[in-house]
Amino acid sequence: MSTAPTPAVPASPFAIPSHLPPLPQVLGTEPSRSILDAFRTAIAQRVADALPPLTVEQVYAGVDYGKKGVDFTVALPRFRLPGKIDELAGKVLAKFQPDEWIESVVHDKAFLHFTLHTPTLTRLVLDQIHALTHDTPSGQPEYGTNTSGAGKRIIIEYSSPNIAKSFHVGHLRSTIIGAFLANLYKACGWEVISMNYLGDWGTQFGLIAVGFQKYGSKEALEADAIKHLFEVYVKINADAEKDPAVKSEAAAWFKRMEDGDEEALSNWRVWRKLSVHKYEEEYARLNVHFDVYTGESEVGKAAQDMALTRLDEMGLIDVHEGAKLVNLEKFKLGKAVVRKKDGTSIYLTRDIGGAIERYEKYKFDKMIYVVSSQQDLHLAQFFKVLKLMDFPWADRLEHVNYGLVLGMSTRKGTAVFLDQILREAATVMHEHMRKNEEKYNVIEDPETVAQEIGITGVKIQDMAAKRVNNYTFNWDRMLSFEGDTGPYLQYAHVRVTSISRKNPELLPLPPPAAIDTALLTEPATREIVFLLGSYPDVVKTALRTHEPSGVVTYAFRLSHAISSAWETVVVKGEQDVEKARARMWLYLSARDVLGATMRLLSIKPLERM
């Protein structure tokens, strides 16, 4: 992997028209990718001009989204200016002249409420979406992206299941949230390395090796490696519960693996390879892709030994009954084992060694671990040890945690393996689709469509609330078309996409410049336009919070806004062709943004269902 910086991000194909009043450039804004930045700059300029010594930058930071019916709001007290609030507001109102950016300003208690000039807003939002979706140098849709991370590299470690165990639903959250973060950082200009750090090392492999001698079958292994190894693991685990000798035999076998004994390693290599292959199929189905599959087994001994030596030299190691512990009690983080008494490694030491090796190889600007909040203490110990070892990059690591999925099993309440959950979700969806024979018959590949809707249901249920909350897996809710669910989101996208099929006489639409957006005068269209314009901000907020829930909420707000306009702002049946075209363009722009939102959430938007 080269350590050359990412090439510069190409310029946006959208530019603000020259006939509009010129605006100052505010650091950190990108009007060519987020047009609301320009409107906020216009507001900031008004306030700064009326209230020296405020700068445009200072005011810009205080231009917030308004409550219902207000576009943007500025709270005057935040600037701590001398004088009464009413007098300060009076100065802004006295100087205010409406122009093509800002229509009006209203003073209300401590606030100034600004309304944007609707014709400019509509024109620029729709033009920008069109240019950044259909005219990009990359040929890829880019509306919602920004260049804030240009030239920076991030490693995101996520999913990280255990080899020889089926893909458990516990790993699902890490996979879904990690895939979202990978898409998010890419959308913000970062070079992203998606890494899967497999649990492919440790005493349990000694246990499986002992079990395989007793219960293993080559044929069953080749048919479905993960399933067979899991069966072996369950049987040998039961034996170990009854007979402590099995455990010591397993520990001895793992010691041979750590010492590089070829006989002990050869079976393990086959299991690892077959398991990775099976996982890749699961990931492809989930629309998730990894750049690097690594694992605990790949962490070199040299990096681990170096870590232990350094901790020893710093006087941080306590020896207890032959095991080595790092003492973190003064940081309220307890004591953590870094070497077992038989001399074998433990996962904390492997994590430390792995981080050292990754920095040497990738020179990352940031590394995120997407791991359950049950591991909060482990991650805190791990990060603290790296800081104590004085690595200058130790503060570039971040733990993105999440709560538990409660009660996730098939509807009969049996297994908790992902492929069974997904298969069942697809079956339920397929039955639902069959109820409408007419629509069902025009779907090219109903099985795949049913599977996608099922996966969308699983993902939306997972990402709808804050990450750190536990949630209870609910079959009925997840697969319902009522309410804010995955199937409803796919339905909303399919419905707005159908507008082209239903109005072929309006296609192809003329180029944007020839569409009269001034005909979009209804309140419902303005609401959609403003929402569409805010999508780049939704992406920036998600980058700050690492929360997919904000993006999910936005997707539903947009779906509802489209739905409420659908009956009143009609295309089919509108006599005025120019008006019908303008409305159609609005709906197609909404489709483009809804699709972008879904792709950011790692969901494939469907065209028919």
Side-chain angles (χ1 to χ4, degrees):
M1 173 99 201
S2 79
T3 51
T6 334
V9 179
S12 165
F14 171 85
I16 291 174
S18 54
H19 69 79
L20 289 168
L23 295 170
Q25 182 62 43
V26 175
L27 195 70
T29 67
E30 224 174 331
S32 66
R33 288 181 177 271
S34 170
I35 195 60
L36 292 186
D37 285 2
F39 287 95
R40 281 186 285 246
T41 302
I43 292 170
Q45 189 180 26
R46 299 306 180 78
V47 177
D49 283 355
L51 300 174
L54 284 182
T55 64
V56 174
E57 278 77 9
Q58 280 172 315
V59 181
Y60 187 93
V63 180
D64 298 318
Y65 280 105
K67 297 276 186 287
K68 197 154 179 63
V70 173
D71 293 337
F72 288 103
T73 292
V74 174
L76 289 169
R78 70 172 288 151
F79 304 121
R80 302 212 162 95
L81 294 169
K84 292 188 171 131
I85 294 295
D86 288 359
E87 287 164 13
L88 299 171
K91 286 181 183 173
V92 177
L93 295 178
K95 277 196 89 165
F96 181 81
Q97 288 294 323
D99 68 1
E100 288 177 275
W101 291 111
I102 312 296
E103 214 156 87
S104 67
V105 57
V106 175
H107 169 218
D108 171 27
K109 301 186 184 79
F111 302 100
L112 291 173
H113 299 311
F114 291 87
T115 302
L116 311 183
H117 186 62
T118 302
T120 311
L121 176 72
T122 308
R123 179 84 252 168
L124 296 188
V125 167
L126 298 182
D127 276 348
Q128 186 170 68
I129 292 167
H130 183 88
L132 283 166
T133 306
H134 305 285
D135 301 335
T136 57
S138 68
Q140 295 297 315
E142 289 176 19
Y143 184 64
T145 66
N146 62 70
T147 59
S148 61
K152 294 190 216 165
R153 176 180 288 166
I154 184 171
I155 293 177
I156 305 178
E157 180 203 291
Y158 62 100
S159 194
S160 308
N162 295 316
I163 289 294
K165 286 190 182 173
S166 260
F167 196 101
H168 188 277
V169 297
H171 295 285
L172 179 67
R173 293 211 78 184
S174 173
T175 309
I176 292 174
I177 295 164
F180 164 72
L181 292 175
N183 292 340
L184 180 65
Y185 273 87
K186 275 180 201 149
C188 297
W190 289 67
E191 178 199 348
V192 175
I193 298 161
S194 286
M195 191 175 276
N196 200 334
Y197 180 62
L198 301 164
D200 63 355
W201 204 242
T203 325
Q204 75 268 31
F205 292 99
L207 201 58
I208 290 169
V210 172
F212 200 78
Q213 288 176 323
K214 199 169 169 186
Y215 302 112
S217 140
K218 221 169 161 198
E219 294 73 39
L221 184 71
E222 275 163 18
D224 188 341
I226 293 178
K227 189 166 174 244
H228 182 57
L229 291 172
F230 181 69
E231 286 162 355
V232 168
Y233 185 68
V234 170
K235 285 177 185 166
I236 196 71
N237 229 347
D239 294 353
E241 294 293 313
K242 295 175 209 137
D243 180 2
V246 175
K247 274 193 178 145
S248 21
E249 200 185 337
W253 190 283
F254 179 58
K255 181 88 170 82
R256 283 171 60 196
M257 286 170 67
E258 285 241 290
D259 296 340
D261 175 333
E262 201 37 57
E263 189 210 351
L265 286 170
S266 61
N267 266 356
W268 169 83
R269 278 200 193 92
V270 173
W271 303 338
R272 186 187 193 281
K273 192 175 159 210
L274 290 170
S275 297
V276 168
H277 183 68
K278 184 77 179 158
Y279 277 133
E280 283 182 315
E281 289 172 11
E282 297 268 2
Y283 291 129
R285 196 157 42 150
L286 286 168
N287 198 17
V288 170
H289 158 79
F290 289 95
D291 302 301
V292 181
Y293 280 89
T294 174
E296 297 184 58
S297 64
E298 289 181 26
V299 178
K301 216 163 162 35
Q304 297 184 50
D305 291 344
M306 184 269 268
L308 283 174
T309 310
R310 201 149 156 188
L311 287 167
D312 229 345
E313 287 164 359
M314 296 171 80
L316 294 167
I317 296 282
D318 291 352
V319 178
H320 181 70
E321 293 176 7
K324 291 186 170 182
L325 290 86
V326 59
N327 189 337
L328 302 171
E329 288 185 334
K330 67 173 170 193
F331 307 105
K332 299 196 167 60
L333 292 170
K335 290 183 179 184
V337 178
V338 282
R339 182 71 93 197
K340 291 186 190 168
K341 57 171 177 264
D342 67 358
T344 55
S345 65
I346 186 162
Y347 69 107
L348 178 62
T349 328
R350 295 194 285 270
D351 280 350
I352 294 164
I356 295 167
E357 288 178 343
R358 284 180 203 176
Y359 187 74
E360 282 167 6
K361 183 172 182 181
Y362 297 108
K363 300 285 185 283
F364 52 78
D365 296 281
K366 190 176 201 173
M367 178 155 64
I368 285 178
Y369 294 83
V370 185
V371 183
S372 138
S373 52
Q374 290 173 294
Q375 300 283 335
D376 283 355
L377 177 63
H378 169 72
L379 270 289
Q381 290 173 335
F382 162 39
F383 291 178
K384 186 48 121 182
V385 169
L386 288 171
K387 282 191 182 132
L388 292 172
M389 290 169 79
D390 283 333
F391 285 112
W393 46 266
D395 58 356
R396 298 182 187 182
L397 310 189
E398 193 170 338
H399 175 202
V400 171
N401 64 1
Y402 53 86
L404 301 174
V405 187
L406 309 171
M408 189 168 184
S409 64
T410 52
R411 287 180 301 176
K412 293 196 180 75
T414 47
V416 282
F417 298 133
L418 183 68
D419 60 336
Q420 292 166 301
I421 299 280
L422 295 182
R423 221 174 299 140
E424 186 158 346
T427 308
V428 174
M429 280 301 140
H430 200 179
E431 287 162 9
H432 186 91
M433 284 157 58
R434 276 209 155 106
K435 288 176 188 163
N436 186 332
E437 204 160 320
E438 192 186 334
K439 282 186 180 171
Y440 184 80
N441 292 335
V442 291
I443 298 172
E444 277 171 30
D445 181 356
E447 273 81 9
T448 306
V449 168
Q451 180 177 296
E452 280 308 322
I453 302 171
I455 287 170
T456 306
V458 171
K459 287 184 176 180
I460 290 295
Q461 176 165 264
D462 196 281
M463 292 188 276
K466 290 263 194 302
R467 281 187 277 111
V468 73
N469 296 345
N470 297 341
Y471 75 89
T472 303
F473 190 83
N474 179 333
W475 274 103
D476 297 335
R477 170 137 184 75
M478 180 183 84
L479 299 178
S480 165
F481 282 84
E482 304 293 314
D484 291 350
T485 64
Y488 173 76
L489 191 59
Q490 286 286 13
Y491 166 75
H493 184 268
V494 166
R495 188 186 190 194
V496 73
T497 303
S498 73
I499 200 152
S500 307
R501 294 196 293 271
K502 289 178 178 160
N503 301 277
E505 71 287 352
L506 295 174
L507 294 174
L509 284 178
I515 296 175
D516 187 358
T517 54
L519 298 170
L520 296 169
T521 52
E522 302 80 4
T525 58
R526 192 185 193 281
E527 189 190 342
I528 293 174
V529 167
F530 193 81
L531 260 177
L532 296 176
S534 70
Y535 178 58
D537 287 339
V538 172
V539 176
K540 285 179 214 152
T541 302
L543 188 76
R544 206 176 58 243
T545 60
H546 292 148
E547 285 288 355
S549 58
V551 180
V552 173
T553 301
Y554 173 81
F556 286 120
R557 278 185 68 197
L558 180 55
S559 301
H560 296 317
I562 296 166
S563 180
S564 35
W566 203 250
E567 304 304 326
T568 50
V569 185
V570 296
V571 174
K572 195 154 199 72
E574 172 53 58
Q575 299 307 304
D576 180 339
V577 175
E578 292 304 309
K579 196 177 261 194
R581 281 193 179 129
R583 288 172 175 181
M584 182 144 178
W585 190 35
L586 172 72
Y587 284 123
L588 292 176
S589 303
R591 172 208 61 192
D592 291 341
V593 177
L594 189 58
T597 311
M598 292 166 79
R599 286 191 299 273
L600 187 67
L601 293 164
S602 81
I603 290 165
K604 289 179 186 164
L606 295 171
E607 308 243 316
R608 284 181 184 270
M609 67 193 253

